[in-house]
Amino acid sequence: MKKILVSTTLSLMSLGLFGQNKYLNDVSQTQELSKEIASLFSQNEIARSFDGLTPYWPMPQNELEAIEEKTIKYLNIIEQRFGKSIGTLKVKNETISDIAIRETYLVRYPKSAIRLIFTYYKNDNGWIVNAFKWDDSFTEEFK
């Protein structure tokens, strides 16, 4: 009985450790989410952008918070060096059959740009954020 109680308690506790608790229903919702997050990045609203991603991203909450904290720090440095954002641009949409989507956006600054890459995966319940990353390697889009 003790083992069952401990196992149940740990299982219930782990539910709160992961951010993801929702699913996107179709491709148009993945596109809307990517566009919204790119716009929030452009406005340097990083906390709000992570709030938008978290319900769909099955990553431990503490890891999400660490990524968010670092992103806020680096985006503030980027804004100091390159100026305020002057907009976003969707540059690529890639798919693997009907199970995965990768969307790439650029957030433009007066002196440079950063790249946002959203990867979605479709499981039996709907679409989830499988990965999200940003970097300053926008020149790799010239391939």
Side-chain angles (χ1 to χ4, degrees):
M1 182 67 173
K2 255 185 180 178
K3 288 182 182 180
I4 293 173
L5 181 60
V6 169
S7 176
T8 304
T9 303
L10 290 174
S11 294
L12 291 173
M13 286 174 44
S14 70
L15 290 176
L17 298 177
F18 289 89
Q20 189 260 335
N21 62 7
K22 290 184 177 180
Y23 299 90
L24 299 158
N25 296 322
D26 54 42
V27 173
S28 67
Q29 287 186 340
T30 66
Q31 293 169 342
E32 288 173 27
L33 181 62
S34 298
K35 185 176 181 179
E36 177 185 345
I37 301 305
S39 176
L40 289 168
F41 254 70
S42 175
Q43 299 165 40
N44 203 5
E45 293 283 343
I46 306 308
R48 286 183 54 206
S49 66
F50 274 84
D51 287 346
L53 285 171
T54 299
Y56 309 103
W57 197 357
M59 181 180 278
Q61 191 67 36
N62 63 328
E63 290 180 35
L64 284 168
E65 290 168 1
I67 293 169
E68 178 182 343
E69 184 179 309
K70 289 177 184 174
T71 299
I72 289 169
K73 175 184 171 185
Y74 288 115
L75 263 283
N76 286 335
I77 292 170
I78 286 171
E79 196 171 271
Q80 289 171 1
R81 288 187 183 159
F82 301 128
K84 292 203 177 287
S85 168
I86 57 174
T88 62
L89 175 68
K90 184 174 183 177
V91 294
K92 195 184 302 180
N93 190 65
E94 302 167 285
T95 61
I96 300 173
S97 187
D98 64 343
I99 64 160
I101 301 168
R102 181 167 55 198
E103 296 182 65
T104 305
Y105 277 79
L106 295 181
V107 176
R108 299 177 56 227
Y109 295 88
K111 300 176 186 170
S112 192
I114 61 170
R115 177 175 64 163
L116 308 179
I117 301 173
F118 302 86
T119 305
Y120 297 95
Y121 178 76
K122 185 179 180 186
N123 63 26
D124 291 339
N125 297 313
W127 292 92
I128 59 172
V129 175
N130 181 260
F132 169 73
K133 79 172 205 169
W134 68 271
D135 59 34
D136 62 354
S137 302
F138 72 93
T139 57
E140 291 181 17
E141 297 304 316
F142 285 115
K143 297 177 189 174

